[in-house]
């Protein structure tokens, strides 16, 4: 709950109002709706059911890896095979089980209130990525999808990560313009890929990333192809180092 300046002048009244609000709207678990002790939390069973990433992780994508860190950079098989145009990446959750359900609810449902707790998990997972004067930018949603949805969940996550960390957020640093590229003579798969790949720096925003480290924010990392396209655009626009922070990482089952 936001207190802001209100609490400073009315610090005696505020706890009473808060108690009254909690009586009317008691905090509920984000996963199952059961009553919880605090707002924006998961109940015990949902918490233990949600695959949070911890321990040793791939420096490039944040997927959990076996063993203890030995002080050297370690990467997963995927990241060793495909070189990533970004420096380091982290992810808060594995995309499965209850995490998958939460992300689908954020993406397709009306559960935009999930973005704030999700951003806190991301800040926790990405604590080693933060650099001075970093600029945060979401992966742009494909325009055909933006038409169907009311919001871009990556932009919403970036907004909340910015609020938690104090870093500047540029929601339209990268865009996928509506104009369709020339598709004549291409197969259906090629057309789909071409449309997917047309990510550009916003002409009026691109100067903001010059010489700065950029943190790209997305909800789910699968192959990393879209994040690679975004990172390459940022580097071509003069950004310094690129970092990647996602809510969840799709990992192959071991
Ligand atoms: Zn629950
Ligand atoms: Zn990796």
């Amino acid at each position: 709950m936001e207190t802001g300046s209100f609490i400073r002048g009315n610090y005696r009244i505020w706890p009473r109002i808060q108690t009254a609000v909690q009586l009317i709207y008691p905090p509920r678990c984000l996963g199952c709706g059961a009553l919880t002790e605090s707002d924006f939390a998961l109940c015990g069973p949902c918490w233990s059911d949600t695959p949070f990433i911890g321990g040793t992780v791939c420096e490039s994508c944040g997927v959990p890896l076996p063993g203890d860190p030995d002080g050297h950079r370690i990467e997963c098989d995927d990241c060793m095979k495909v070189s990533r145009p970004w420096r380091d990446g982290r992810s808060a959750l594995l995309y499965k089980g209850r995490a998958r359900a939460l992300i689908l609810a954020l993406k397709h449902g009306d559960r935009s209130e999930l973005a704030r707790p999700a951003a806190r998990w991301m800040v926790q997972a990405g604590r080693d990525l933060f650099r001075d004067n970093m600029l945060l930018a979401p992966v742009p949603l494909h325009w055909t999808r933006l038409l169907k949805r009311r919001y871009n969940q990556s932009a919403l996550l970036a907004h909340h990560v910015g609020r938690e960390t104090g870093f500047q957020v540029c929601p339209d640093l990268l865009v996928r313009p509506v104009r369709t590229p020339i598709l004549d003579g291409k197969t259906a798969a090629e057309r789909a890929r071409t449309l997917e790949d047309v990510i550009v720096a916003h002409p009026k925003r691109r100067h903001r990333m010059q010489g700065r480290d950029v943190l790209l924010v997305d909800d789910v990392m699968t192959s990393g192809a879209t994040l690679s396209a975004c990172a390459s655009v940022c580097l071509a626009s003069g950004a310094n180092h690129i970092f990647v922070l996602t809510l969840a990482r799709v990992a192959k089952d071991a």
Side-chain angles (χ1 to χ4, degrees):
M1 191 153 294
E2 297 298 320
T3 51
S5 58
F6 183 71
I7 199 166
R8 270 170 241 137
N10 301 276
Y11 59 93
R12 276 165 215 245
I13 302 166
W14 181 255
R16 276 182 247 163
I17 295 172
Q18 210 170 19
T19 308
V21 167
Q22 280 177 348
L23 286 171
I24 305 164
Y25 303 107
R28 290 185 178 276
C29 170
L30 295 166
C32 70
L35 294 175
T36 54
E37 301 221 327
S38 56
D39 280 312
F40 307 112
L42 291 169
C43 71
C46 285
W47 182 268
S48 52
D49 226 23
T50 304
F52 286 94
I53 294 175
T56 309
V57 296
C58 168
E59 293 285 344
S60 290
C61 74
V63 82
L65 294 172
D68 294 318
D70 60 0
H72 295 95
R73 183 184 180 87
I74 79 171
E75 289 186 326
C76 70
D77 291 347
D78 282 1
C79 291
M80 285 199 286
K81 252 179 263 162
V82 186
S83 83
R84 312 287 192 189
W86 62 81
R87 194 162 167 152
D88 294 327
R90 292 291 186 276
S91 199
L93 305 162
L94 279 177
Y95 189 70
K96 63 179 189 183
R98 194 168 288 279
R100 188 170 170 273
L102 285 170
I103 290 154
L104 289 174
L106 175 66
K107 204 170 193 158
H108 301 290
D110 286 318
R111 302 285 313 275
S112 58
E113 82 278 8
L114 292 172
R116 190 170 142 188
R120 287 187 179 166
W121 302 335
M122 291 167 79
V123 169
Q124 179 65 23
R127 60 195 178 277
D128 293 337
L129 304 181
F130 303 128
R131 302 288 188 275
D132 287 344
N133 195 33
M134 200 169 217
L135 181 64
L136 273 51
V139 166
L141 193 64
H142 195 269
W143 60 272
T144 53
R145 279 174 222 149
L146 194 55
L147 290 179
K148 285 182 217 143
R149 268 181 238 156
R150 257 166 290 175
Y151 58 86
N152 173 358
Q153 70 284 354
S154 301
L156 199 59
L157 290 170
H159 166 78
H160 284 286
V161 171
R163 278 183 60 162
E164 292 291 326
T165 56
F167 289 119
Q168 190 186 8
V169 182
C170 186
D172 55 354
L173 185 71
L174 302 172
V175 287
R176 302 197 202 205
V178 178
R179 187 192 290 168
T180 307
I182 299 155
L183 297 170
D184 293 349
K186 291 199 164 108
T187 66
E190 283 169 345
R191 282 171 190 230
R193 212 171 307 124
T194 305
L195 286 171
E196 194 69 39
D197 285 349
V198 184
I199 293 170
V200 297
H202 191 302
K204 291 191 175 142
R205 309 273 183 271
R206 58 182 300 155
H207 68 275
R208 291 193 191 174
M209 57 180 135
Q210 275 160 21
R212 285 172 84 177
D213 290 333
V214 173
L215 180 69
L216 295 169
V217 176
D218 206 359
D219 56 347
V220 181
M221 174 176 168
T222 309
S223 70
T226 311
L227 283 161
S228 288
C230 291
S232 301
V233 169
C234 291
L235 290 172
S237 303
N240 187 33
H241 292 299
I242 314 300
F243 298 83
V244 162
L245 183 57
T246 59
L247 176 54
R249 171 79 166 106
V250 178
K252 293 179 205 126
D253 283 324

